[in-house]
Every structure is written in C-alpha cells, then in structure tokens.
Amino acid sequence: MKITMLGSGSRLIGGTKSVALSQQEVHQIALEGFFPKTDFGTRPDKKRSAVVEFGLPYVADPAVSKHVSEFLHLHQEVAKEALGSDAEPAIPVGLLLNGGVFNSDLVTRRLVDIVENWKGAPISLLSNPHPDWSVALGAVAFAKARRGAQLKIGGGSARSYFLHLQEKNKLGQALCLLAKGTDEGQEIRLTGRRFALTLGEPVRFNLLTSTHDVFGDQQKVQNGLMVNIDPDQFTPLPPYISTLQGNDAKLQANQKERVEVQLACQLTEVGTLKVECVSAENEKQRWELEFEVRNRQGAQETVKAHPGLDSSKELVSRLYSGNKNSADSKEIKLLSKTLEKNLGKKDEWDFHTLRSLVDSFSLGRKRRRRSEQHEKNWLRLTGFCMRPGFGDATDSWRMEQIWGLYQQGIQFQNAQGWSDWWTFWRRVSGGLNEEQQEVILGDIAKYLHPGAMKNAKTFQGAKDKGYEAMVRLSASLENLYVDDKVLLASWYLSKAINQSQFEQAHWWALGRLASRTPLYGSQHNVIPREQIEQWLPKLLEQNWLKEPMAAFACVLMCRKTGDRSLDISDDYREQVSSKLKSSKAPSSWLELVSEVKALSEADSKKLFGDALPAGLHLLKE
C-alpha cells in the first residue's frame, strides 16, 4: 500500500511525500517492534530517548513482551502462591487480553506464543469478544458496584507510595506511606513517626512510587517501612506543594511556626493519593496537601547557593523589617548596587538566587510603601527576581502572595511610580491566570482606547499614569481572551500608523499580541492567522528601514511554527521575506520567517522586555 503524507504550506500536491509499505514490513514493525519474542526475565531498556515524561510515564522501550516479562518476574512470589506451585518460573495458566490492539489475531497469537514459550506448555486464552470495550465496561461495572447492584472486586492500590527523606549528598531513605494493595478509602495513620510541619510558607513532600513487593534484605512492603533508596526500584512523582495556614501574628512578625504532626494517607476511589498532616495535639486539626500538577518532575535538585546570598537576604529583611529607622537610610538608596556587589551583575543571578530574594522581599511587602525609595526598589527588584512569574515548583504560592497587592495599588503616585508598578506586573504576568489578567486589562483599557488619545485631559492622565508601560503590560497578558487580543492589536496598529508618539511601543505591542508562538500562554489563545493576514498589507506598506520595530512586529506575526493552522500563507511569507531582505533586516529575522527556529537571546530579550532568568528554559523554545 502507498502511504502519502501532506507537506507544509498551501501547495498540497507539490509538498507531498509518499512511501510504499509491504505487508511483510508492517508485520515486522508491529510484531518485532512491539511484541518481539524474548526469553523470560528479559527486562525493558530503561535508557530514555525520543519521547520523555511530561506528566505521563511514557516508557523508554516499546517492547510490550519485555514489560510483561518484567511484571511477572517482579511478582513471582504472588504468582507461586496463586498457582499453588513452586515451579520455576511461575507463569500464569491463562490470559485475558484487554485493549484494542488485541482485535488483531496476529498480535493475540504472538503474545500467546511468547507466554507458552516461557511456560513450556500450552495456556488458555480466555474469551473477550470486545477487548477495546474493557475500560468502558469496567467503568459501568464499578458504578453499579458502588450502588450495590453487583459485587465489587477490590484490588487496592496498584503501587506503593513512599515519602523521600533526603540527605545531603546521598539518595537518602524512603518511608512507606501507603503499601501496595491498600483498599480505597482506608486511612493509614503512621502513628510511630512524627514530623515538624512549618506553617505559613510552602512545604514540599517529594514522593516516590514502586511496584516491588520486597526491598533490600527481603523486607516485605508494609506501611511505615523505612528502606534505603535503590533508583531501579523507585519512580519519582512531582512533589506535593502547599502553603498551610498558620498563626497570622507570627507570620507578620517574620517568625516561623512549627507544629508536631502525624501523617494520614489514603487512596481515593479515583486512584489518587490523599495526604493529610494531623496535629498530634488536636485530632480535628488537619492540613491537606494538594497535588500540584504543573511542577517539575522528580525530587528537588541540590542547589549550591551563592556565597553572598545569606548576607543579601539579611540586608533585604532588615531594610523591609518593622524597624522604621531604615526608611531614610543610605542603604535603601544603594540597595540595588549593594546586591550586585554581593551577588554579581543582576543579569547573571541564577534561578535559586532570584527566588530566594523574592521570598525575602515578599516578607517585607507590607513595608514596601514606607518611603518612595522603598517602594521603587521593592517593585523593581521583586519584579526582576520573580520574572516571568513561573518556573519554580512554589511560584504559584508566591504569585498568590503577590496578587493580593494589586488592589492596594501604589503609595507614591507619580509618573515614575506608575511606570514601575505596571512594569512589575508585566514581568510577573506569566504567573497570573486568565481572570486576574482580565481584571488588569479592565483597569487600564480606558487609557489604551484610541479615543483617549483625542481628549487632551484623558491623554495627559494616561501619560501621568505610565501610558507606555501600560501598553507593554497589556501586550504581555497572554491569557486574555482572543477577542480582547484582537481588539488591542487593532488599536495599536492604528496608533502606530497614524501617530508618532510611542510609535515603538505600539509596534512592539502589536508584535507581542499577534505572535505565532506565545511565551507562556495557550495556543488556543493565539490570534487566528486569517486575522493576521488582514493586517499584513498595512505592515508591508511601512518603511522598515525607518522603523525597524515595525519589521520586528511583522516577523513575530509571520514566524514559522510548522503548524499549518497558525502559519500564514506561502504568498505572504514570500512577500515578508523579500521586504526583510530589501530593508536590510538581521539575518536571524529572515530565518524566523522562513524556518522553524528558536529566538536568539537578543531577539528573545527584545520580545519579552527582559532576558529569561539563568537556568530557566522554556520547553516551547
């Protein structure tokens, strides 16, 4: 059979590629690639390549037969007990096959042959006329069982859950929170161990899972078991992150509050793990740990702190403490320079340093309005250290603290103060959700509307409140509704063409709003290509030699992504490329239009207004 794949662009016929596949080749790929004949005990390759984990545990080895072999090898003790035999190896006497792949007689026969070869004797294939209905039928059966309409088969947890107790420069140990086989809804209380829980700031529980039945010196898995970590026996999960409410008075006094707790764990009916910290003094006082799905995978890496970090944090804490004598000190005026003296140039501060400073500034957020210099430094430095609003496992907690400041506004309402305020929110905008971004837009839209430029009083008010910073902020709100983005972009296109004031800011904002590849927003909120193509003729009429920012905006609007639903037509791409060449634009701009390519560091800084923090790399890039 001939298989044809469509190429990119509008020339579908010319861009196609075809290849002829024979029946033998397809069988070779499907059977030998996914169901190769292997010896019992052969284990899958653990080396990662190609597809890696992002939330779902994709396996490194596609050979299903190797995974079946590993599963049976790990559960030999249970298999021998079920079969009532000490035969080596203990292989099942029958197979029930579920999943649409087993609609294929060839695949079914291959797997039966593999298991019979391991057993050295025939096995029974149990009847299942619709293997692809298994999950749906199981869901219905489970719903009926919950209502008492039929019996419920309880298998319990399919794996064990462990708390990773890390040690410096060592793998550490793992404490079993919930053993494999534990029934759903059954609370397991680890009464033999107590923990000191910190309140009022984020706590992190690094979790591991395992499907093994025994560990180390044949220790059988059970709740409360403490074992040394063998990387081959454990799989890390994203950490549990939460901020647990404590005593407000202690929090305001910058005092840490710790309580003694026990851990209570249970498997929910939908297969998730629920962990609660139960007060050792009051049974009813509990703190539930919620699972944070956007955080980084695995356990926290060991980070070597900058030698000047501790003294820098102490300085920030002192200047923004309850001591009012720091209000007019020379230290607050020289804070930025002092931090650079301690830590090196700001642009080179590593990610750990940035977020550590954010935490110190955040503790003093209520004293930021003590003086104009306090407020200016707080907005500039906290915004710089918190950019782009995400990237660390606890950034969602930090943004919760920061968003509470928005309604408070600024204390010193001059032009520079407003500019610093809006720049702060632009820098952290990646950590704001859709609702929060719409709130900000609702507050500044009246100053951005083209009609505001025609009224002298309103226009002056917009300038006094940092108009240019508001423009750049609005364009950085990537979670806005598409209709709002289209409206803003049309305003800025009109202003850029018809008004000379703030021309560069308007072109920049147009490019950011209409960019084909967002920094952090969903592609569902990208302005449709049909709308982009309506604007392009006006951009092509501009003098790009005189205004390079108009050319840069056009580059972002025409940047090639490889997704035909987002990319502009080939005709427009050729026109833009030709004008870029005649306008002597940088070669990197031309490459972005003609190829699927990442932004250079200089172009990235031009687009986002700041360089990304050192150590933070966006997957989209």
Side-chain angles (χ1 to χ4, degrees):
M1 178 177 286
K2 186 187 244 186
I3 306 296
T4 301
M5 295 182 65
L6 300 180
S8 61
S10 58
R11 295 170 292 183
L12 299 182
I13 304 300
T16 59
K17 292 185 178 181
S18 300
V19 61
L21 290 177
S22 68
Q23 186 184 55
Q24 183 180 0
E25 287 175 314
V26 174
H27 288 184
Q28 176 73 16
I29 293 170
L31 295 178
E32 299 305 326
F34 291 94
F35 295 91
K37 292 182 178 179
T38 57
D39 295 330
F40 182 73
T42 303
R43 300 197 177 194
D45 184 7
K46 300 293 185 182
K47 184 179 179 181
R48 294 228 166 267
S49 60
V51 180
V52 295
E53 291 187 32
F54 291 110
L56 292 176
Y58 293 102
V59 295
D61 195 325
V64 175
S65 51
K66 293 182 182 179
H67 292 280
V68 175
S69 170
E70 181 183 43
F71 178 81
L72 293 176
H73 182 80
L74 290 174
H75 300 286
Q76 281 294 285
E77 294 300 320
V78 177
K80 289 177 182 178
E81 184 179 338
L83 293 170
S85 170
D86 291 329
E88 292 282 352
I91 305 296
V93 297
L95 282 181
L96 174 64
L97 300 178
N98 295 321
V101 69
F102 294 112
N103 279 318
S104 165
D105 291 335
L106 284 171
V107 173
T108 298
R109 188 66 251 167
R110 170 58 69 93
L111 189 55
V112 170
D113 289 344
I114 290 171
V115 179
E116 286 183 340
N117 182 54
W118 293 343
K119 189 172 182 64
I123 62 172
S124 299
L125 179 63
L126 304 180
S127 176
N128 185 3
H130 301 291
D132 48 339
W133 294 5
S134 301
V135 173
L137 292 173
V140 173
F142 179 72
K144 292 174 71 176
R146 288 195 64 186
R147 291 178 174 269
Q150 66 182 51
L151 292 176
K152 177 182 176 183
I153 302 174
S157 174
R159 65 195 69 228
S160 301
Y161 293 89
F162 290 79
L163 175 65
H164 186 186
L165 304 175
Q166 294 171 286
E167 298 178 23
K168 190 174 182 180
N169 301 323
K170 294 181 181 179
L171 287 174
Q173 292 184 304
L175 172 66
C176 184
L177 300 176
L178 199 74
K180 187 172 68 171
T182 303
D183 290 335
E184 293 91 344
Q186 179 185 353
E187 182 177 287
I188 302 300
R189 180 80 65 85
L190 302 183
T191 56
R193 299 185 185 276
R194 297 192 175 189
F195 298 85
L197 180 65
T198 302
L199 302 179
E201 62 182 63
V203 290
R204 172 194 292 264
F205 276 38
N206 291 314
L207 297 182
L208 308 171
T209 66
S210 178
T211 57
H212 288 253
D213 294 316
V214 294
F215 296 88
D217 300 328
Q218 299 302 308
Q219 299 179 83
K220 190 173 181 180
V221 64
Q222 57 184 335
N223 299 317
L225 175 69
M226 184 82 76
V227 295
N228 293 322
I229 292 180
D230 180 349
D232 292 333
Q233 293 184 312
F234 292 96
T235 301
L237 288 177
Y240 277 91
I241 302 288
S242 186
T243 303
L244 309 179
Q245 191 62 41
N247 187 307
D248 291 337
K250 288 189 176 183
L251 182 62
Q252 292 176 12
N254 293 345
Q255 296 177 0
K256 288 188 177 181
E257 182 184 3
R258 289 190 173 90
V259 293
E260 193 173 288
V261 298
Q262 296 174 342
L263 296 182
C265 315
Q266 62 176 293
L267 187 70
T268 67
E269 289 184 330
V270 292
T272 59
L273 181 66
K274 180 181 178 182
V275 180
E276 290 183 307
C277 299
V278 183
S279 171
E281 298 179 356
N282 183 359
E283 173 82 15
K284 294 182 179 179
Q285 191 172 19
R286 295 183 173 218
W287 294 270
E288 183 176 339
L289 298 172
E290 296 180 358
F291 195 51
E292 175 60 71
V293 297
R294 291 184 64 188
N295 296 331
R296 297 173 296 182
Q297 290 279 351
Q300 187 179 20
E301 297 177 0
T302 301
V303 178
K304 187 175 182 180
H306 191 286
L309 181 58
D310 286 342
S311 60
S312 298
K313 289 168 63 178
E314 289 173 6
L315 174 63
V316 171
S317 296
R318 178 162 53 80
L319 293 177
Y320 288 90
S321 68
N323 182 5
K324 294 184 179 180
N325 293 331
S326 64
D328 299 316
S329 69
K330 183 179 179 181
E331 286 181 305
I332 191 65
K333 296 179 181 179
L334 299 176
L335 177 58
S336 185
K337 290 183 179 180
T338 305
L339 291 178
E340 288 198 276
K341 184 178 179 181
N342 291 345
L343 302 168
K345 293 182 179 179
K346 281 201 304 183
D347 290 340
E348 297 175 2
W349 293 352
D350 61 42
F351 200 61
H352 176 69
T353 297
L354 293 170
R355 292 305 191 259
S356 297
L357 288 174
V358 168
D359 293 339
S360 295
F361 277 109
S362 184
L363 288 172
R365 59 188 179 274
K366 292 186 177 180
R367 266 85 63 180
R368 72 188 186 284
R369 298 192 289 183
R370 175 174 293 158
S371 71
E372 186 172 352
Q373 196 68 45
H374 276 77
E375 187 167 65
K376 180 176 75 172
N377 280 339
W378 196 95
L379 291 173
R380 291 182 179 181
L381 289 169
T382 307
F384 179 84
C385 293
M386 190 60 206
R387 73 192 200 286
F390 60 90
D392 184 71
T394 51
D395 276 351
S396 59
W397 170 78
R398 294 186 177 102
M399 288 305 301
E400 285 179 17
Q401 312 299 310
I402 287 172
W403 177 245
L405 308 179
Y406 181 75
Q407 295 300 332
Q408 299 174 14
I410 56 174
Q411 180 72 21
F412 300 91
Q413 300 187 18
N414 51 47
Q416 186 59 59
W418 280 112
S419 181
D420 288 339
W421 175 249
W422 301 126
T423 299
F424 170 81
W425 291 108
R426 173 180 62 78
R427 281 174 160 169
V428 304
S429 59
L432 300 174
N433 60 35
E434 183 181 271
E435 182 182 356
Q436 292 165 341
Q437 292 193 1
E438 290 288 347
V439 167
I440 292 177
L441 179 61
D443 290 340
I444 64 177
K446 60 184 177 183
Y447 300 111
L448 305 176
H449 190 282
M453 306 289 281
K454 299 175 183 178
N455 184 301
K457 185 176 180 181
T458 308
F459 178 59
Q460 186 60 45
K463 287 180 66 177
D464 291 343
K465 287 203 170 186
Y467 173 79
E468 184 174 355
M470 283 191 278
V471 169
R472 295 181 183 275
L473 166 60
S474 68
S476 302
L477 303 178
E478 294 186 359
N479 290 331
L480 294 175
Y481 298 123
V482 173
D483 291 347
D484 287 338
K485 288 185 176 181
V486 172
L487 185 62
L488 286 171
S490 62
W491 289 355
Y492 297 144
L493 175 59
S494 175
K495 290 181 179 183
I497 293 174
N498 300 315
Q499 299 172 7
S500 58
Q501 279 191 302
F502 307 111
E503 186 177 6
Q504 283 210 344
H506 291 144
W507 284 123
W508 181 90
L510 172 64
R512 180 74 192 269
L513 285 163
S515 175
R516 300 295 80 203
T517 306
L519 167 64
Y520 61 84
S522 167
Q523 288 197 333
H524 295 294
N525 289 340
V526 172
I527 294 177
R529 67 172 187 171
E530 292 80 9
Q531 178 63 67
I532 301 297
E533 292 180 350
Q534 289 182 29
W535 290 331
L536 284 178
K538 294 183 179 179
L539 275 88
L540 289 167
E541 292 173 0
Q542 306 306 307
N543 185 343
W544 290 359
L545 280 170
K546 180 181 177 183
E547 186 46 76
M549 191 57 75
F552 186 64
C554 196
V555 167
L556 298 177
M557 296 164 70
C558 301
R559 182 180 172 188
K560 192 167 187 178
T561 68
D563 184 339
R564 287 189 294 171
S565 67
L566 297 175
D567 288 343
I568 62 168
S569 68
D570 288 345
D571 290 339
Y572 271 120
R573 191 176 305 283
E574 290 174 6
Q575 290 183 54
V576 171
S577 296
S578 176
K579 189 171 178 68
L580 286 171
K581 291 177 183 177
S582 63
S583 302
K584 299 179 181 179
S587 58
S588 62
W589 294 10
L590 190 61
E591 290 172 356
L592 287 172
V593 172
S594 58
E595 305 172 27
V596 180
K597 194 171 183 180
L599 286 168
S600 67
E601 186 174 345
D603 290 338
S604 178
K605 187 173 183 179
K606 184 189 293 284
L607 171 59
F608 304 129
D610 288 294
L612 288 173
L616 178 64
H617 304 284
L618 302 180
L619 294 177
K620 291 179 182 178
E621 291 297 311

